[in-house]
Amino acid sequence: MSQTSEIHRGLAGVVVDVTAISKVDPESNSLLYRGYPAQQLATHATVEEVAHLLWHGELPSPDQLAVLIAEGRTARFLPDAVRAAVEALPVTCHPMDVCRTAVSVLGANDPRAEDSSREAEIAKAVQLFAVMPGVVALDQRRRRGLEPVEARADLSYAENFLWMTFGVVPDDVVLRTFESSLILYAEHSFNASTFTARVITSTLADLHSAVTGAIGALKGPLHGGANEAVMRTFDAIGSAANVPAWLDATLARKEKVMGFGHRVYKRGDSRVPTMRAALDDLVEHTGRHDLLEMYEALEQGMRDRTGIEPNLDYPAGLAYHLMGFDTSTFTPIFVAARVLGWTAHIMEQRAANALIRPLSEYVGPPQREVPEGL
Ligand SMILES: CC(=O)SCCNC(=O)CCNC(=O)[C@H](O)C(C)(C)COP(=O)(O)OP(=O)(O)OC[C@H]1O[C@@H](n2cnc3c(N)ncnc32)[C@H](O)[C@@H]1OP(=O)(O)O
Ligand SMILES: O=C([O-])CC(=O)C(=O)O
Protein backbone atom coordinates (compact mmCIF):
# COMPACT_ATOMS: atom_id res chain seq x y z
CA MET A 1 0.00 0.00 0.00
CA SER A 2 1.35 3.40 -0.99
CA GLN A 3 2.59 5.60 1.89
CA THR A 4 3.01 8.68 -0.29
CA SER A 5 0.09 10.46 -1.90
CA GLU A 6 1.75 11.42 -5.18
CA ILE A 7 5.00 10.58 -6.91
CA HIS A 8 6.73 13.22 -9.03
CA ARG A 9 9.26 11.34 -11.14
CA GLY A 10 12.19 13.55 -12.04
CA LEU A 11 10.73 16.11 -9.58
CA ALA A 12 8.83 17.47 -12.59
CA GLY A 13 6.68 20.41 -11.60
CA VAL A 14 7.79 20.30 -7.95
CA VAL A 15 8.82 23.57 -6.29
CA VAL A 16 11.45 22.55 -3.73
CA ASP A 17 12.67 25.91 -2.40
CA VAL A 18 12.81 29.64 -3.02
CA THR A 19 15.61 31.46 -4.84
CA ALA A 20 16.41 35.13 -5.43
CA ILE A 21 19.07 34.41 -8.05
CA SER A 22 17.13 33.87 -11.25
CA LYS A 23 13.61 33.47 -12.54
CA VAL A 24 12.82 31.15 -15.44
CA ASP A 25 9.32 32.05 -16.62
CA PRO A 26 7.92 29.76 -19.31
CA GLU A 27 4.72 31.82 -19.54
CA SER A 28 6.43 35.06 -20.58
CA ASN A 29 9.31 33.04 -22.04
CA SER A 30 11.82 35.07 -20.06
CA LEU A 31 14.86 34.62 -17.87
CA LEU A 32 15.81 37.18 -15.23
CA TYR A 33 19.11 37.31 -13.34
CA ARG A 34 18.36 39.11 -10.07
CA GLY A 35 15.56 40.92 -11.93
CA TYR A 36 17.51 41.86 -15.08
CA PRO A 37 16.65 40.16 -18.40
CA ALA A 38 19.48 37.75 -19.25
CA GLN A 39 19.13 38.69 -22.94
CA GLN A 40 19.84 42.34 -22.14
CA LEU A 41 22.80 41.40 -19.99
CA ALA A 42 24.10 39.16 -22.77
CA THR A 43 24.20 42.06 -25.20
CA HIS A 44 25.20 44.90 -22.86
CA ALA A 45 27.15 43.53 -19.88
CA THR A 46 30.49 41.85 -19.38
CA VAL A 47 30.70 38.45 -17.76
CA GLU A 48 32.55 40.02 -14.81
CA GLU A 49 29.56 42.34 -14.20
CA VAL A 50 27.21 39.35 -14.36
CA ALA A 51 29.43 37.49 -11.88
CA HIS A 52 29.09 40.29 -9.37
CA LEU A 53 25.34 40.49 -9.99
CA LEU A 54 24.78 36.78 -9.40
CA TRP A 55 26.96 36.60 -6.29
CA HIS A 56 25.97 39.86 -4.63
CA GLY A 57 22.49 40.60 -5.98
CA GLU A 58 23.33 43.94 -7.63
CA LEU A 59 25.37 45.11 -10.59
CA PRO A 60 28.78 46.33 -9.42
CA SER A 61 29.76 49.95 -8.86
CA PRO A 62 32.87 50.97 -10.83
CA ASP A 63 35.00 50.40 -7.72
CA GLN A 64 33.49 47.00 -7.00
CA LEU A 65 34.03 45.97 -10.60
CA ALA A 66 37.65 47.11 -10.51
CA VAL A 67 38.26 45.00 -7.40
CA LEU A 68 36.64 41.91 -8.92
CA ILE A 69 38.57 42.31 -12.18
CA ALA A 70 41.87 42.74 -10.33
CA GLU A 71 41.23 39.66 -8.16
CA GLY A 72 40.23 37.58 -11.17
CA ARG A 73 43.26 38.59 -13.20
CA THR A 74 45.60 37.63 -10.36
CA ALA A 75 43.87 34.28 -9.86
CA ARG A 76 43.73 33.23 -13.51
CA PHE A 77 47.23 31.73 -13.56
CA LEU A 78 46.87 27.99 -13.03
CA PRO A 79 48.19 26.70 -9.68
CA ASP A 80 50.98 24.13 -10.22
CA ALA A 81 48.94 21.32 -8.65
CA VAL A 82 46.05 21.93 -11.04
CA ARG A 83 48.30 22.14 -14.08
CA ALA A 84 50.05 18.91 -13.07
CA ALA A 85 46.72 17.15 -12.51
CA VAL A 86 45.41 18.18 -15.94
CA GLU A 87 48.61 17.09 -17.65
CA ALA A 88 48.60 13.74 -15.82
CA LEU A 89 45.20 12.73 -17.18
CA PRO A 90 45.02 10.65 -20.36
CA VAL A 91 43.78 12.46 -23.46
CA THR A 92 41.41 9.54 -23.93
CA CYS A 93 39.24 10.79 -21.05
CA HIS A 94 36.47 13.28 -21.67
CA PRO A 95 37.39 16.96 -21.06
CA MET A 96 34.55 17.09 -18.52
CA ASP A 97 36.51 14.54 -16.46
CA VAL A 98 39.44 16.96 -16.60
CA CYS A 99 37.25 19.85 -15.35
CA ARG A 100 35.87 17.70 -12.54
CA THR A 101 39.35 16.60 -11.48
CA ALA A 102 40.79 20.11 -11.71
CA VAL A 103 38.11 21.50 -9.38
CA SER A 104 38.69 18.67 -6.95
CA VAL A 105 42.45 19.29 -6.93
CA LEU A 106 41.90 23.03 -6.50
CA GLY A 107 39.73 22.35 -3.45
CA ALA A 108 42.15 19.83 -1.97
CA ASN A 109 44.94 22.42 -2.14
CA ASP A 110 42.88 25.33 -0.80
CA PRO A 111 43.58 26.22 2.85
CA ARG A 112 40.09 27.81 2.96
CA ALA A 113 38.44 24.61 1.73
CA GLU A 114 36.51 23.97 4.95
CA ASP A 115 35.81 27.63 5.69
CA SER A 116 32.19 28.21 4.67
CA SER A 117 31.92 31.84 5.76
CA ARG A 118 30.42 34.10 3.11
CA GLU A 119 33.78 35.87 2.73
CA ALA A 120 35.63 32.60 2.08
CA GLU A 121 32.93 31.32 -0.27
CA ILE A 122 33.13 34.49 -2.38
CA ALA A 123 36.93 34.21 -2.51
CA LYS A 124 36.69 30.56 -3.61
CA ALA A 125 34.05 31.43 -6.21
CA VAL A 126 36.24 34.21 -7.64
CA GLN A 127 39.18 31.82 -7.85
CA LEU A 128 37.16 29.03 -9.50
CA PHE A 129 35.73 31.44 -12.06
CA ALA A 130 39.21 32.79 -12.80
CA VAL A 131 40.89 29.39 -13.08
CA MET A 132 38.44 27.45 -15.27
CA PRO A 133 39.40 29.07 -18.62
CA GLY A 134 43.00 28.02 -18.03
CA VAL A 135 41.91 24.43 -17.38
CA VAL A 136 39.68 24.28 -20.46
CA ALA A 137 42.25 25.94 -22.72
CA LEU A 138 45.20 23.87 -21.49
CA ASP A 139 43.22 20.67 -22.01
CA GLN A 140 42.16 21.50 -25.58
CA ARG A 141 45.70 22.52 -26.50
CA ARG A 142 47.33 19.37 -25.10
CA ARG A 143 44.81 17.25 -27.02
CA ARG A 144 45.91 19.07 -30.16
CA GLY A 145 49.58 18.48 -29.30
CA LEU A 146 50.15 22.21 -28.70
CA GLU A 147 52.16 23.95 -25.99
CA PRO A 148 50.16 25.78 -23.29
CA VAL A 149 49.60 29.51 -23.68
CA GLU A 150 50.11 31.51 -20.49
CA ALA A 151 47.31 33.66 -19.14
CA ARG A 152 47.56 37.42 -19.69
CA ALA A 153 46.60 39.86 -16.95
CA ASP A 154 45.95 42.70 -19.43
CA LEU A 155 42.98 40.94 -21.08
CA SER A 156 39.33 40.70 -20.05
CA TYR A 157 38.00 37.34 -18.86
CA ALA A 158 36.54 36.43 -22.26
CA GLU A 159 39.54 37.72 -24.22
CA ASN A 160 41.94 35.78 -22.02
CA PHE A 161 39.85 32.60 -22.33
CA LEU A 162 40.14 32.76 -26.14
CA TRP A 163 43.78 33.87 -25.98
CA MET A 164 44.76 30.89 -23.82
CA THR A 165 42.83 28.51 -26.10
CA PHE A 166 43.97 29.75 -29.51
CA GLY A 167 47.08 31.85 -28.79
CA VAL A 168 45.65 34.91 -30.56
CA VAL A 169 43.66 37.86 -29.27
CA PRO A 170 40.20 37.29 -30.78
CA ASP A 171 38.51 39.68 -33.17
CA ASP A 172 35.45 41.58 -31.99
CA VAL A 173 32.76 39.32 -33.52
CA VAL A 174 34.15 36.18 -31.92
CA LEU A 175 34.79 37.93 -28.61
CA ARG A 176 31.31 39.40 -28.33
CA THR A 177 29.49 36.21 -29.36
CA PHE A 178 31.61 34.17 -26.97
CA GLU A 179 30.98 36.53 -24.06
CA SER A 180 27.22 36.57 -24.81
CA SER A 181 27.16 32.78 -24.70
CA LEU A 182 28.94 32.75 -21.34
CA ILE A 183 26.39 35.18 -19.90
CA LEU A 184 23.46 33.14 -21.26
CA TYR A 185 24.95 29.95 -19.84
CA ALA A 186 25.81 31.48 -16.45
CA GLU A 187 22.63 30.68 -14.54
CA HIS A 188 19.28 28.88 -14.89
CA SER A 189 17.60 28.32 -11.50
CA PHE A 190 17.13 24.73 -10.26
CA ASN A 191 18.45 22.84 -13.29
CA ALA A 192 19.91 19.38 -12.62
CA SER A 193 23.52 20.45 -12.03
CA THR A 194 22.60 23.41 -9.82
CA PHE A 195 20.23 21.21 -7.84
CA THR A 196 23.08 18.71 -7.44
CA ALA A 197 25.27 21.49 -6.06
CA ARG A 198 22.50 22.47 -3.64
CA VAL A 199 21.98 18.87 -2.50
CA ILE A 200 25.69 18.50 -1.74
CA THR A 201 25.79 21.89 0.02
CA SER A 202 22.74 20.93 2.07
CA THR A 203 24.83 18.27 3.85
CA LEU A 204 27.21 21.11 4.87
CA ALA A 205 29.92 19.81 2.54
CA ASP A 206 32.41 22.29 1.08
CA LEU A 207 32.02 24.43 -2.06
CA HIS A 208 34.49 22.47 -4.19
CA SER A 209 32.67 19.20 -3.45
CA ALA A 210 29.42 20.80 -4.56
CA VAL A 211 30.92 22.15 -7.79
CA THR A 212 32.62 18.83 -8.52
CA GLY A 213 29.28 17.06 -8.22
CA ALA A 214 27.60 19.70 -10.37
CA ILE A 215 30.14 19.12 -13.14
CA GLY A 216 29.25 15.42 -13.07
CA ALA A 217 25.57 16.28 -13.48
CA LEU A 218 26.25 18.75 -16.28
CA LYS A 219 28.22 16.20 -18.30
CA GLY A 220 25.18 14.15 -19.31
CA PRO A 221 23.66 14.71 -22.78
CA LEU A 222 20.20 15.43 -21.34
CA HIS A 223 21.77 18.51 -19.70
CA GLY A 224 25.01 20.35 -20.61
CA GLY A 225 26.42 17.52 -22.71
CA ALA A 226 23.78 18.35 -25.32
CA ASN A 227 25.82 21.22 -26.82
CA GLU A 228 28.52 18.74 -27.79
CA ALA A 229 25.91 16.23 -28.99
CA VAL A 230 24.44 18.90 -31.29
CA MET A 231 27.70 19.13 -33.23
CA ARG A 232 27.98 15.36 -33.42
CA THR A 233 24.46 15.37 -34.89
CA PHE A 234 25.50 17.89 -37.56
CA ASP A 235 28.55 15.74 -38.35
CA ALA A 236 26.31 12.68 -38.69
CA ILE A 237 23.75 14.44 -40.91
CA GLY A 238 26.33 16.05 -43.19
CA SER A 239 24.17 18.54 -45.12
CA ALA A 240 20.77 20.27 -45.15
CA ALA A 241 19.58 17.93 -47.90
CA ASN A 242 20.09 14.90 -45.62
CA VAL A 243 18.02 16.35 -42.76
CA PRO A 244 14.53 14.98 -43.60
CA ALA A 245 15.62 11.36 -43.99
CA TRP A 246 17.90 11.52 -40.93
CA LEU A 247 15.18 13.10 -38.80
CA ASP A 248 12.46 10.68 -39.89
CA ALA A 249 14.69 7.72 -39.08
CA THR A 250 15.80 9.16 -35.72
CA LEU A 251 12.26 9.94 -34.58
CA ALA A 252 11.02 6.56 -35.82
CA ARG A 253 13.59 4.94 -33.52
CA LYS A 254 12.16 7.12 -30.69
CA GLU A 255 15.56 8.73 -30.18
CA LYS A 256 15.98 12.22 -28.79
CA VAL A 257 17.33 14.94 -31.04
CA MET A 258 19.93 16.73 -28.94
CA GLY A 259 19.58 20.46 -28.45
CA PHE A 260 15.78 20.31 -28.59
CA GLY A 261 13.21 20.31 -25.81
CA HIS A 262 13.32 21.58 -22.25
CA ARG A 263 11.88 20.58 -18.90
CA VAL A 264 10.59 24.08 -18.12
CA TYR A 265 10.20 25.94 -21.42
CA LYS A 266 7.64 24.28 -23.63
CA ARG A 267 7.37 26.99 -26.28
CA GLY A 268 11.06 27.58 -26.87
CA ASP A 269 14.02 28.55 -24.71
CA SER A 270 14.12 32.26 -23.82
CA ARG A 271 17.88 32.39 -24.49
CA VAL A 272 17.75 31.03 -28.03
CA PRO A 273 16.89 34.28 -29.92
CA THR A 274 19.92 36.09 -28.45
CA MET A 275 22.23 33.16 -29.09
CA ARG A 276 20.81 32.73 -32.58
CA ALA A 277 21.57 36.38 -33.38
CA ALA A 278 25.13 35.81 -32.16
CA LEU A 279 25.33 32.67 -34.31
CA ASP A 280 24.18 34.64 -37.36
CA ASP A 281 27.04 37.10 -36.80
CA LEU A 282 29.49 34.20 -36.65
CA VAL A 283 28.08 32.66 -39.84
CA GLU A 284 28.56 35.96 -41.66
CA HIS A 285 32.05 36.20 -40.20
CA THR A 286 33.11 32.68 -41.21
CA GLY A 287 31.03 32.27 -44.38
CA ARG A 288 29.70 28.88 -43.21
CA HIS A 289 26.21 29.34 -44.63
CA ASP A 290 26.11 25.61 -45.35
CA LEU A 291 26.09 24.86 -41.62
CA LEU A 292 23.38 27.44 -40.98
CA GLU A 293 21.25 25.83 -43.70
CA MET A 294 21.55 22.47 -41.95
CA TYR A 295 20.78 24.16 -38.62
CA GLU A 296 17.61 25.74 -40.03
CA ALA A 297 16.52 22.57 -41.81
CA LEU A 298 16.76 20.54 -38.60
CA GLU A 299 15.02 23.24 -36.55
CA GLN A 300 12.14 23.46 -39.05
CA GLY A 301 11.98 19.67 -39.42
CA MET A 302 11.63 19.23 -35.64
CA ARG A 303 9.02 21.97 -35.47
CA ASP A 304 6.97 20.39 -38.28
CA ARG A 305 7.19 16.83 -36.97
CA THR A 306 7.09 17.30 -33.18
CA GLY A 307 6.42 20.95 -32.33
CA ILE A 308 9.56 20.82 -30.15
CA GLU A 309 11.76 23.93 -30.18
CA PRO A 310 15.54 24.21 -29.74
CA ASN A 311 17.16 24.94 -26.38
CA LEU A 312 20.29 27.07 -25.79
CA ASP A 313 22.61 24.16 -26.53
CA TYR A 314 21.45 24.14 -30.17
CA PRO A 315 22.76 27.54 -31.32
CA ALA A 316 25.61 27.49 -28.77
CA GLY A 317 26.95 24.17 -30.06
CA LEU A 318 27.27 25.42 -33.62
CA ALA A 319 28.59 28.79 -32.44
CA TYR A 320 31.44 27.15 -30.50
CA HIS A 321 32.31 25.11 -33.57
CA LEU A 322 32.49 28.25 -35.69
CA MET A 323 34.70 29.89 -33.06
CA GLY A 324 37.16 27.03 -33.54
CA PHE A 325 36.64 24.99 -30.38
CA ASP A 326 36.89 21.19 -30.47
CA THR A 327 33.48 19.57 -29.99
CA SER A 328 34.45 17.90 -26.72
CA THR A 329 35.39 21.33 -25.31
CA PHE A 330 31.83 22.70 -25.61
CA THR A 331 30.50 21.38 -22.29
CA PRO A 332 33.63 22.48 -20.39
CA ILE A 333 32.94 26.03 -21.65
CA PHE A 334 29.46 25.62 -20.16
CA VAL A 335 31.15 24.63 -16.88
CA ALA A 336 33.31 27.77 -16.89
CA ALA A 337 30.17 29.92 -17.26
CA ARG A 338 27.87 27.95 -14.94
CA VAL A 339 30.42 28.11 -12.12
CA LEU A 340 28.85 31.54 -11.53
CA GLY A 341 25.34 30.19 -11.02
CA TRP A 342 26.47 27.14 -9.06
CA THR A 343 28.50 29.17 -6.59
CA ALA A 344 25.69 31.73 -6.17
CA HIS A 345 23.30 28.87 -5.37
CA ILE A 346 25.78 27.22 -3.00
CA MET A 347 25.96 30.46 -1.01
CA GLU A 348 22.17 30.89 -1.08
CA GLN A 349 21.62 27.30 0.07
CA ARG A 350 24.14 27.67 2.88
CA ALA A 351 22.61 30.92 4.10
CA ALA A 352 19.21 29.25 4.69
CA ASN A 353 20.02 25.57 4.78
CA ALA A 354 17.66 22.61 4.99
CA LEU A 355 19.00 19.13 4.34
CA ILE A 356 17.62 17.96 0.98
CA ARG A 357 16.30 14.47 1.51
CA PRO A 358 13.09 13.49 -0.29
CA LEU A 359 11.07 10.34 0.26
CA SER A 360 10.61 7.33 -1.99
CA GLU A 361 7.89 4.74 -2.18
CA TYR A 362 9.24 1.25 -1.61
CA VAL A 363 8.17 -1.27 -4.27
CA GLY A 364 10.59 -4.15 -3.43
CA PRO A 365 9.76 -7.48 -1.75
CA PRO A 366 7.85 -7.35 1.56
CA GLN A 367 9.73 -8.13 4.78
CA ARG A 368 11.07 -11.72 4.81
CA GLU A 369 13.36 -13.87 6.96
CA VAL A 370 17.06 -14.24 6.17
CA PRO A 371 17.54 -17.99 5.30
CA GLU A 372 18.95 -20.11 8.16
CA GLY A 373 22.62 -20.94 7.83
CA LEU A 374 23.50 -17.76 5.92
C1 LIG B 1 21.15 23.70 -21.16
C2 LIG B 1 20.29 22.48 -21.02
O1 LIG B 1 20.59 21.63 -20.23
S1 LIG B 1 18.88 22.40 -21.93
C3 LIG B 1 18.54 20.66 -22.16
C4 LIG B 1 19.58 20.01 -23.03
N1 LIG B 1 19.21 18.64 -23.34
C5 LIG B 1 18.91 18.22 -24.58
O2 LIG B 1 18.91 18.97 -25.55
C6 LIG B 1 18.60 16.76 -24.72
C7 LIG B 1 17.37 16.50 -25.59
N2 LIG B 1 16.17 16.89 -24.89
C8 LIG B 1 15.56 16.06 -23.99
O3 LIG B 1 16.01 14.94 -23.75
C9 LIG B 1 14.35 16.58 -23.25
O4 LIG B 1 13.69 17.56 -23.99
C10 LIG B 1 14.71 17.12 -21.84
C11 LIG B 1 15.42 16.03 -21.04
C12 LIG B 1 15.63 18.32 -21.97
C13 LIG B 1 13.45 17.56 -21.12
O5 LIG B 1 12.67 16.48 -21.08
P1 LIG B 1 11.39 16.25 -20.15
O6 LIG B 1 10.81 17.48 -19.65
O7 LIG B 1 11.77 15.23 -19.12
O8 LIG B 1 10.42 15.66 -21.19
P2 LIG B 1 10.48 14.24 -21.85
O9 LIG B 1 11.87 13.77 -22.11
O10 LIG B 1 9.61 13.35 -21.03
O11 LIG B 1 9.81 14.57 -23.24
C14 LIG B 1 8.38 14.72 -23.43
C15 LIG B 1 8.05 14.17 -24.82
O12 LIG B 1 8.73 14.95 -25.80
C16 LIG B 1 9.66 14.13 -26.50
N3 LIG B 1 10.92 14.87 -26.62
C17 LIG B 1 11.41 15.76 -25.73
N4 LIG B 1 12.58 16.23 -26.18
C18 LIG B 1 12.82 15.61 -27.35
C19 LIG B 1 13.89 15.67 -28.26
N5 LIG B 1 14.93 16.45 -28.04
N6 LIG B 1 13.83 14.89 -29.36
C20 LIG B 1 12.77 14.10 -29.59
N7 LIG B 1 11.73 14.00 -28.74
C21 LIG B 1 11.76 14.74 -27.64
C22 LIG B 1 9.87 12.90 -25.65
O13 LIG B 1 10.26 11.79 -26.41
C23 LIG B 1 8.51 12.74 -25.01
O14 LIG B 1 7.67 12.15 -25.95
P3 LIG B 1 6.55 11.08 -25.48
O15 LIG B 1 5.64 11.84 -24.56
O16 LIG B 1 5.93 10.65 -26.76
O17 LIG B 1 7.29 9.99 -24.77
O1 LIG C 1 17.09 24.52 -16.77
C1 LIG C 1 17.37 23.38 -17.17
O2 LIG C 1 16.76 22.34 -16.83
C2 LIG C 1 18.48 23.17 -18.11
C3 LIG C 1 19.01 24.43 -18.68
O3 LIG C 1 18.47 24.98 -19.61
C4 LIG C 1 20.18 25.04 -18.06
O4 LIG C 1 20.66 24.53 -17.04
O5 LIG C 1 20.66 26.05 -18.57
Side-chain angles (χ1 to χ4, degrees):
M1 172 83 64
S2 170
Q3 305 250 310
T4 45
S5 52
E6 235 184 311
I7 292 175
H8 300 275
R9 296 203 66 233
L11 296 180
V14 177
V15 178
V16 296
D17 207 340
V18 298
T19 181
I21 300 169
S22 69
K23 178 176 180 181
V24 180
D25 188 349
E27 298 309 317
S28 59
N29 207 25
S30 62
L31 169 63
L32 305 178
Y33 292 171
R34 304 277 191 188
Y36 295 107
Q39 292 90 323
Q40 285 180 21
L41 293 167
T43 45
H44 294 105
T46 63
V47 71
E48 290 94 333
E49 287 167 324
V50 172
H52 189 282
L53 175 68
L54 292 173
W55 289 331
H56 298 282
E58 296 296 338
L59 285 165
S61 67
D63 285 351
Q64 288 169 327
L65 184 60
V67 170
L68 177 59
I69 288 175
E71 287 172 354
R73 290 182 183 200
T74 306
R76 68 173 49 150
F77 296 86
L78 280 190
D80 290 344
V82 174
R83 182 183 297 272
V86 170
E87 286 170 344
L89 289 171
V91 291
T92 47
C93 78
H94 195 281
M96 285 295 277
D97 302 347
V98 173
C99 289
R100 199 186 57 225
T101 303
V103 171
S104 196
V105 169
L106 193 66
N109 284 278
D110 192 334
R112 304 159 301 191
E114 303 302 328
D115 181 350
S116 297
S117 62
R118 166 109 186 143
E119 199 186 15
E121 299 272 81
I122 289 280
K124 287 185 269 185
V126 169
Q127 188 198 32
L128 257 179
F129 174 56
V131 157
M132 283 320 293
V135 172
V136 176
L138 171 64
D139 192 32
Q140 175 167 302
R141 289 188 71 82
R142 78 191 182 107
R143 286 166 195 271
R144 291 183 174 190
L146 299 171
E147 289 300 312
V149 172
E150 276 310 306
R152 275 176 52 182
D154 61 321
L155 299 177
S156 73
Y157 174 94
E159 279 172 327
N160 180 61
F161 199 143
L162 294 164
W163 160 256
M164 291 185 82
T165 308
F166 301 112
V168 288
V169 178
D171 56 54
D172 278 352
V173 176
V174 173
L175 179 62
R176 193 57 224 166
T177 51
F178 183 59
E179 188 148 20
S180 288
S181 78
L182 297 176
I183 293 170
L184 293 172
Y185 264 140
E187 159 60 13
H188 212 242
S189 75
F190 276 42
N191 59 81
S193 58
T194 301
F195 189 60
T196 302
R198 292 190 74 126
V199 170
I200 295 172
T201 305
S202 84
T203 71
L204 302 185
D206 61 288
L207 178 141
H208 291 94
S209 293
V211 172
T212 304
I215 293 173
L218 192 74
K219 182 180 177 186
L222 295 191
H223 190 14
N227 62 5
E228 157 179 348
V230 163
M231 204 56 226
R232 301 204 189 284
T233 296
F234 287 137
D235 290 341
I237 297 175
S239 74
N242 295 339
V243 165
W246 181 90
L247 192 50
D248 286 339
T250 301
L251 294 176
R253 290 193 302 269
K254 302 260 177 245
E255 286 173 15
K256 295 274 182 74
V257 180
M258 294 300 155
F260 288 84
H262 199 275
R263 173 58 71 77
V264 183
Y265 300 114
K266 295 300 176 195
R267 288 179 290 125
D269 182 326
S270 69
R271 302 161 292 185
V272 165
T274 311
M275 196 61 227
R276 170 62 202 265
L279 174 62
D280 286 345
D281 291 345
L282 277 171
V283 168
E284 280 307 313
H285 184 66
T286 56
R288 292 303 306 271
H289 298 276
D290 56 324
L291 287 175
L292 190 63
E293 276 169 28
M294 187 164 36
Y295 175 103
E296 288 180 334
L298 187 57
E299 182 182 41
Q300 192 58 48
M302 274 296 277
R303 194 172 288 138
D304 293 344
R305 288 164 179 76
T306 67
I308 299 173
E309 296 289 328
N311 58 56
L312 175 59
D313 286 326
Y314 192 58
L318 185 52
Y320 290 148
H321 175 75
L322 295 179
M323 288 174 204
F325 286 100
D326 292 344
T327 301
S328 61
T329 301
F330 298 177
T331 319
I333 300 169
F334 192 162
V335 169
R338 189 54 62 87
V339 153
L340 296 180
W342 289 334
T343 48
H345 279 272
I346 289 166
M347 289 184 264
E348 186 179 69
Q349 177 72 33
R350 213 181 288 292
N353 193 45
L355 176 72
I356 299 173
R357 199 295 185 199
L359 296 176
S360 56
E361 183 179 326
Y362 178 67
V363 294
Q367 182 170 339
R368 47 188 167 162
E369 296 300 314
V370 173
E372 274 187 36
L374 193 70

